[in-house]
Amino acid sequence: MSSPRSRRQLRAGTIPAALPSGRTVAVRAADGTRLHVEVFGPPDGYPIVLAHGITCAIRVWGHQIADLTRDYRVIAYDHRGHGRSEVPKRGGYSLTHLASDLDSVLEATLEPGERAVIAGHSMGGIAISAWSDRYRHRVAQRADGVALINTTTGDLLAHVDLFRVPPPLQQVRVQTARRVLLTFGNTPIVGPANLAVRRFVHMLAVGGEADASVASLICDLFAKTPAASRGHWVRVLVDSLGPSHISLEGLTVPTLVIGSTRDRLLPIVASHRIASTAPNLVRFVELSGGHCSILEHPEAVNRELRDLVELATGSGRTLAADSGIIS
C-alpha cells in the first residue's frame, strides 16, 4: 500500500523527484534507429508497457512508474526522436514507424509467449492503435489488454481546441490550426520565443487546475525534444489523422479508454469515438482536467491501469463497460 504522503503527492499532482532505479535496454527499430527503453520493478513481475505522448519522454510517466513498480514490471520507452532515443534518418517518421517501433520494443522486452498490458498517452495511444491495425496478427500474441489515454484515431485538426469560430468558417479554422501547430512544432525554444512557446504548450496541454510542476515538466520536455523531431512528428500527425481514422478492428483485446473533459489538444469527443468503435471496450472513464491526465489525475489513472491488469489476467473483478466522471 502507498503511504499517506505518497497518496497526498499523487492527488496534488506534484511530480516524483526521480524515477526508481531500472535497467536500460537498447532496442533497434526495424530501420536500425536506436530506441531507449527502461525496465523497472521486479524482473518476474507481470509486464506493463508505457508509450508516452508527442514531445515527452519516459519521465512523464513518473507517477505511474513509481506506483506500478511496487507490483509489476514496467517497461517504458522513448519514441524515436524523443528523450534518449535516436533521431531517425530522413523519412523515418510515420504512423508505420510508430507501430513498428512499439512492436520492436515488445519483441525485445517480453519473453517468448509473454503478453502485457500496453498503455499509451496521446501519441503513445496512436502508436498502439496503429500497431493493432498494421500488426493485427501480433495483438493477441503480445497484448492482454490496452489502455488508450487522451488520444485519437483521426480528425485531429477538426477537434483541436485552439479557438472557436462560426460553422461557416470551420475550414478556415482547420487550416489555421494546421499552420499554428506546424509553426510551434518547429520552433526552437531559445530567446524571445521561449516564453511564447511555453505559454502555448501550457494552454494546449495542461489543465488550468493542474499543479505548476505539471506545466513545468511538460514545457521542459517539449524544449528538450529536438525541434526537427517535433516538427516532423507534428506534420505526420496533422497529415495522417484526417477524416479517415485508424481502424480499430484489430484491437480485439480488452480496451480501457480514458479522456479528459477539458482536453484542448485531443478533446473528449475523440475518446468518445474510440470508446464507440473499440471492439472490446471494458471501461470508458472521463476525468476532469486537461490533456495530461497521467500527471493531473495520476491516482485515478493508476487505479484504472491496475484494474485493467486484474481484468486482463483474470486475477480480479470484472469491469463493467461503463463510464465514470472523476473530478
Side-chain angles (χ1 to χ4, degrees), residues 19 49-53 57-66 76-77 119-121 149 217 294-295 301 305:
L19 294 176
V49 179
L50 304 177
H52 65 73
I58 292 173
R59 180 79 177 85
V60 80
W61 291 105
H63 285 301
Q64 286 67 47
I65 293 170
Y77 72 100
H121 175 257
I149 307 170
L217 175 62
I294 60 175
L295 293 167
V301 171
L305 291 177

Side-chain angles (χ1 to χ4, degrees), residues 28-29 31-35 78-94 97-98 101 225-226 228-230 232-233 236:
R28 290 286 178 179
D31 65 354
T33 301
R34 180 183 56 80
L35 303 175
D78 289 328
H79 292 297
R80 57 177 56 212
H82 290 73
R84 294 167 62 185
S85 285
E86 186 177 10
V87 175
K89 297 178 181 178
R90 185 181 181 89
Y93 300 87
S94 70
H97 286 99
L98 272 184
D101 288 353
T225 306
S229 289
R230 284 193 269 111
H232 281 303
W233 277 124
V236 165

